[in-house]
Amino acid sequence: WKVWGTGPCSVTCNLGVAPRTVACVQSVRGRESAVHDVECQAAVKPASMVPCLCTASCGYGIQSRAVSCMGPSSPVPLTPLLCMHMPKPITIQGCNRGACAAYTEPAANPTPTPSALTAAAASPSIAVRTVAPPTTEDPLPPATPNTTAAAPSAVQTPRLCGRLLLEESGTVDLRHVGRRCMVAIGRPLDEVIHIQVESAALKCQQGEFVAFFDRLAFVRKCGQLRGVELTTRTNMLLLRQVLLGPGSGVLLSYTSQKNSKTSHHQDCDIQLFSSSGVFENPTTASTNHTCRVLINAPPSVKIQIQA
């Protein structure tokens, strides 16, 4: 399959679609010629309609491009699942083609502009803040008369569930927490996190478990966990534990260390852990990768982004 060209966008502003010519071609001695589509049935045919955005002749606009997962020896796009281990290049980005000509507002009652939008228009940056939804910790059901609940520690401040831990090392005690508890551990981009299970008591047959997620892999475990060790491939780890009753849970210890293996981040990437702030998308002169901003907040909050 070969894409010969893309036609005009269906709209003059906002998101639309554009047609493009896709043909099955055969190359003989360096010369290409169109053949019947049945000759290319073994390959995936590229889409004949692609999304498009209008471009601005001045001021700030939007650029868009199509990104496909490609193999090392075949020009045919592959399933995106084969490229999930690599950062996907940006498909839409802002651009600036210089100041537009002066424009005089008509003498009518203008609509007041919020100060936040005025500030955003003056500087192409993005504001970020965290918003606290309902708590992520579900209380455990009360112990029945035939059940002996383990006594919690005398000091439980601050509450562990829903927190983001940024210390270099520490202990995560999930033995006296709620039914569902999530804890995040964050470190600089050039580090990884090593976890060791010190003790564990989970009722696997009843559905209790502890799970680990590091942006690239999800691991769910139960059973004989004492002494189990795990090392993340990224600088972030999310722990999730599900319990059905009191007296269960795991005790973990963790340390951080420099990443000595293949890194999944670029030198221009930025890691943010703060609860609010303003950032601009990083750029690089290299065309082989795209810079990213990674924002991580405690599991007990949501992230709100405003351009």
Side-chain angles (χ1 to χ4, degrees), residues 110-141:
T111 302
T113 303
S115 58
L117 296 181
T118 303
S123 175
S125 58
I126 298 178
V128 181
R129 68 185 181 94
T130 56
V131 181
T135 177
T136 59
E137 180 179 2
D138 294 340
L140 287 171

Side-chain angles (χ1 to χ4, degrees), residues 2-307:
K2 184 173 182 179
V3 178
W4 294 98
T6 304
C9 194
S10 61
V11 296
T12 57
C13 193
N14 295 324
L15 182 64
V17 292
R20 62 180 184 178
T21 303
V22 181
C24 180
V25 298
Q26 183 181 36
S27 178
V28 178
R29 296 179 181 178
R31 298 186 62 181
E32 293 181 340
S33 59
V35 296
H36 199 275
D37 287 359
V38 296
E39 302 294 333
C40 296
Q41 284 184 348
V44 179
K45 183 178 181 180
S48 57
M49 300 293 288
V50 292
C52 59
L53 288 164
C54 66
T55 57
S57 58
C58 64
Y60 289 100
I62 296 177
Q63 294 176 327
S64 64
R65 62 180 178 181
V67 176
S68 301
C69 179
M70 307 296 293
S73 59
S74 174
V76 179
L78 306 175
T79 171
L81 297 177
L82 299 178
C83 293
M84 289 183 63
H85 65 287
M86 303 173 60
K88 182 178 180 180
I90 292 176
T91 56
I92 297 178
Q93 67 178 7
C95 58
N96 185 5
R97 305 195 62 178
C100 298
Y103 174 73
T104 303
E105 186 72 23
N109 293 328
T111 302
T113 303
S115 58
L117 296 181
T118 303
S123 175
S125 58
I126 298 178
V128 181
R129 68 185 181 94
T130 56
V131 181
T135 177
T136 59
E137 180 179 2
D138 294 340
L140 287 171
T144 61
N146 296 327
T147 303
T148 302
S153 174
V155 179
Q156 296 211 7
T157 304
R159 188 169 56 184
L160 182 63
C161 295
R163 289 184 58 199
L164 171 62
L165 307 179
L166 302 178
E167 293 79 12
E168 182 178 355
S169 61
T171 301
V172 181
D173 191 348
L174 301 179
R175 294 175 297 181
H176 308 295
V177 297
R179 180 192 298 266
R180 293 179 177 86
C181 180
M182 289 191 295
V183 181
I185 304 174
R187 297 299 299 159
L189 284 171
D190 61 346
E191 294 185 5
V192 293
I193 303 166
H194 181 76
I195 289 283
Q196 179 170 343
V197 181
E198 304 294 342
S199 66
L202 297 174
K203 304 178 181 68
C204 303
Q205 294 182 349
Q206 298 182 18
E208 296 184 344
F209 67 88
V210 61
F212 308 86
F213 177 66
D214 69 351
R215 286 202 191 107
L216 296 179
F218 178 84
V219 178
R220 174 172 166 169
K221 286 186 173 294
C222 194
Q224 299 295 329
L225 292 180
R226 184 174 182 179
V228 170
E229 298 184 27
L230 297 171
T231 301
T232 65
R233 290 183 290 173
T234 69
N235 66 310
M236 191 70 192
L237 178 64
L238 181 65
L239 304 172
R240 183 189 180 201
Q241 180 180 263
V242 174
L243 303 179
L244 298 181
S248 301
V250 298
L251 174 64
L252 311 165
S253 63
Y254 73 92
T255 58
S256 58
Q257 58 195 40
K258 291 294 183 179
N259 187 3
S260 60
K261 299 182 180 180
T262 303
S263 176
H264 294 276
H265 76 275
Q266 310 295 339
D267 292 338
C268 60
D269 290 346
I270 297 176
Q271 173 70 67
L272 300 179
F273 289 118
S274 57
S275 59
S276 63
V278 177
F279 70 89
E280 295 185 10
N281 192 51
T283 58
T284 177
S286 174
T287 58
N288 295 327
H289 61 264
T290 301
C291 302
R292 300 171 300 169
V293 176
L294 307 176
I295 305 174
N296 289 96
S300 60
V301 304
K302 297 180 179 180
I303 301 175
Q304 184 180 65
I305 300 179
Q306 179 179 356

